[in-house]
Amino acid sequence: MPANLLDFDLEGLADFCAGLGEKRFRAVQLYRWIHQKGESDFERMSDLAKSLRAKLAGCAAVQRLAVISEHVSADGTVKWLFDVGGGNAIETVFIPEADRGTLCVSSQAGCAVGCRFCSTGHQGFSRNLSTGEIVAQLWHAEHQLRARLGLAAGERAIDNVVMMGMGEPLQNYAALVPALRTMLDDHAYGLSRRRVTVSTSGMVTMIDRLRQDCPVALAVSLHAPDDALRDQLVPLNRKDGIQALLDACVRYLEAAPRDFITFEYCMLDGVNDSPAQAQALVRLVQGRVLCKFNLIPFNPFPASGLHRSPRERVLAFAQVLQDAGIITTIRKTRGEDIDAACGQLAGEVQDRTAVQQRLARRSAVIPIAAASSAASVLASAPASGVAS
Ligand code: SF4
């Protein structure tokens, strides 16, 4: 099997080239051809020595992902479904805005965390993606979009990457970090650390490792103000709990490129959206961790048994946070007509960990209703899985 050059960050590529008897500056040239120019044919890399091109042809490749489908929403959002083999498919979404383009990237085929409100979690889990499979999503989207938009040399289509697609990125840490380094590298995509965001369901020890190895912007899926409810919505919470998670967020800020953590909060009708729960959130974070809240409209899917909070309840919830001085945004739903909105990415996954069956059993025993005591309603479900 030829080595997939998308698997390497620059240091890895330099090592690979050294193994071929080539100097580091050759690795830099190669890296720039691949990531800055989107070239995969060594013969077209005109300033590489012919001898190097011949060596590469014999032992290396730039392995693109096979595109199963591409859908473009009325609002310009683009969703790609990529085949990653073994019956698995992953999704990647481009979200254009007036001042920037954001790519939502997947880190795993499926997800083992099993968050109650997440369509990906209900698909189950198959496997981690390789670094090359993570980077290939950006490589494909950036160079496709540049060509389609007719961008001039040096102009980029994607300024922002959010690791918020399928999977929990911190459960695929070994592949994630080299991929982040390629996103950040000036010889590749040159993205600012502030514009690359890892979204996690809250893996405390891995948040500490990311702070040391490759601090980028951090988003934490909170979704509840207390452990009783969060244990049910994000099963991973049972391991460390909210207090340990907030402590990890405070430590992360020492190295973070932004001076706040973004807390994601999916608004679930009658479950986590009351004014009292908003006040509990204020008590939880105020004076402890600098943060912003991003309130996410839930995108319902039948197996969840959950409903989207009414707009007025979301606004009232946001008002409580804002009155306490916490910057709060309500996420605009994008790409709904192509099932590309947050929490709708499902792909196609061979569920090797039986997450689907466990969640189906839970759905069967959880009443589908607005709950006055959300934790007690959700507590009737045996928990499973782990948690972005
Ligand atoms: S960790 Fe993220 S992808 Fe996995 S189930 Fe939870 S919300 Fe979905």
Side-chain angles (χ1 to χ4, degrees):
M1 278 284 285
N4 179 9
L5 300 188
L6 295 181
D7 274 328
F8 298 128
D9 59 14
L10 183 54
E11 293 316 308
L13 192 61
D15 288 346
F16 178 78
C17 286
L20 299 177
E22 299 287 342
K23 297 226 161 51
R24 182 187 165 82
F25 82 94
R26 291 292 183 202
V28 173
Q29 282 181 308
L30 181 56
Y31 199 59
R32 292 169 69 107
W33 270 108
I34 295 168
H35 296 291
Q36 291 190 341
K37 298 185 181 166
E39 188 54 72
S40 58
D41 181 347
F42 302 128
E43 273 312 303
R44 293 162 62 110
M45 299 181 182
S46 50
D47 59 358
L48 288 190
K50 272 197 171 164
S51 57
L52 173 55
R53 284 187 255 161
K55 285 184 207 170
L56 290 170
C59 68
V62 177
Q63 283 169 13
R64 60 186 72 212
L65 295 174
V67 180
I68 297 170
S69 64
E70 177 189 300
H71 292 99
V72 182
S73 160
D75 66 15
T77 299
V78 184
K79 181 175 79 169
W80 291 276
L81 185 68
F82 293 110
D83 185 354
V84 291
N88 298 304
I90 58 158
E91 291 180 324
T92 308
V93 178
F94 173 71
I95 305 129
E97 289 172 276
D99 57 343
R100 62 184 175 179
T102 297
L103 193 71
C104 182
V105 170
S106 293
S107 56
Q108 297 179 308
C111 184
V113 175
C115 298
R116 279 287 316 280
F117 47 83
C118 174
S119 180
T120 302
H122 280 253
Q123 279 281 305
F125 175 73
S126 181
R127 68 171 176 85
N128 284 329
L129 299 184
S130 65
T131 299
E133 288 168 328
I134 297 172
V135 171
Q137 298 169 64
L138 175 57
W139 185 85
H140 178 90
E142 174 68 35
H143 297 293
Q144 273 269 317
L145 291 166
R146 270 191 212 174
R148 196 175 302 172
L149 300 171
L151 299 182
E155 281 188 295
R156 61 160 74 119
I158 294 163
D159 326 88
N160 246 1
V161 169
V162 291
M163 296 300 306
M164 291 184 186
M166 297 172 74
E168 161 56 71
L170 295 184
Q171 283 195 337
N172 187 14
Y173 192 79
L176 173 72
V177 169
L180 294 177
R181 290 190 176 130
T182 288
M183 294 173 193
L184 299 170
D185 199 303
D186 284 340
H187 296 298
Y189 301 91
L191 296 173
S192 154
R193 281 182 191 276
R194 300 158 59 89
R195 289 179 170 267
V196 175
T197 300
V198 167
S199 175
T200 177
S201 53
M203 300 183 67
V204 168
T205 52
M206 303 314 290
I207 291 173
D208 284 332
R209 281 189 65 186
L210 187 68
R211 180 193 62 187
Q212 288 166 356
D213 294 340
C214 191
V216 291
L218 187 69
V220 173
S221 295
L222 195 57
H223 307 306
D226 56 70
D227 284 325
L229 180 56
R230 194 165 191 270
D231 283 353
Q232 302 303 319
L233 293 175
V234 185
L236 185 80
N237 192 66
R238 293 167 184 204
K239 180 167 181 290
D240 296 307
I242 290 180
Q243 298 303 331
L245 175 58
L246 293 186
D247 287 344
C249 290
V250 171
R251 291 192 295 274
Y252 194 85
L253 284 173
E254 292 165 12
R258 290 184 180 274
D259 58 3
F260 60 88
I261 302 290
T262 302
F263 288 125
E264 309 281 353
Y265 198 97
C266 183
M267 299 295 292
L268 303 168
D269 185 17
V271 172
N272 66 355
D273 63 349
S274 71
Q277 286 165 317
Q279 283 152 4
L281 277 182
V282 171
R283 290 193 296 275
L284 189 67
V285 301
Q286 209 167 40
R288 182 165 181 192
V289 54
L290 287 170
C291 62
K292 291 183 179 177
F293 271 82
N294 189 17
L295 305 182
I296 306 169
F298 173 57
N299 288 300
F301 57 100
S304 71
L306 299 165
H307 302 280
R308 179 183 288 193
S309 298
R311 177 86 181 152
E312 58 276 13
R313 192 124 22 98
V314 177
L315 292 172
F317 197 94
Q319 194 64 52
V320 172
L321 297 174
Q322 280 164 344
D323 287 349
I326 300 170
I327 294 173
T328 304
T329 53
I330 299 171
R331 184 178 292 173
K332 273 188 282 177
T333 297
R334 301 289 303 268
E336 254 183 320
D337 53 334
I338 56 169
D339 285 351
C342 203
Q344 285 184 325
L345 301 186
E348 289 162 19
V349 168
Q350 303 300 307
D351 183 10
R352 298 186 202 285
T353 50
V355 174
Q356 272 184 46
Q357 288 95 321
R358 292 202 303 275
L359 288 171
R361 283 200 297 277
R362 288 167 61 190
S363 300
V365 296
I366 298 169
I368 301 174
S372 54
S373 171
S376 65
V377 169
L378 292 167
S380 63
S384 64
V386 269
S388 42

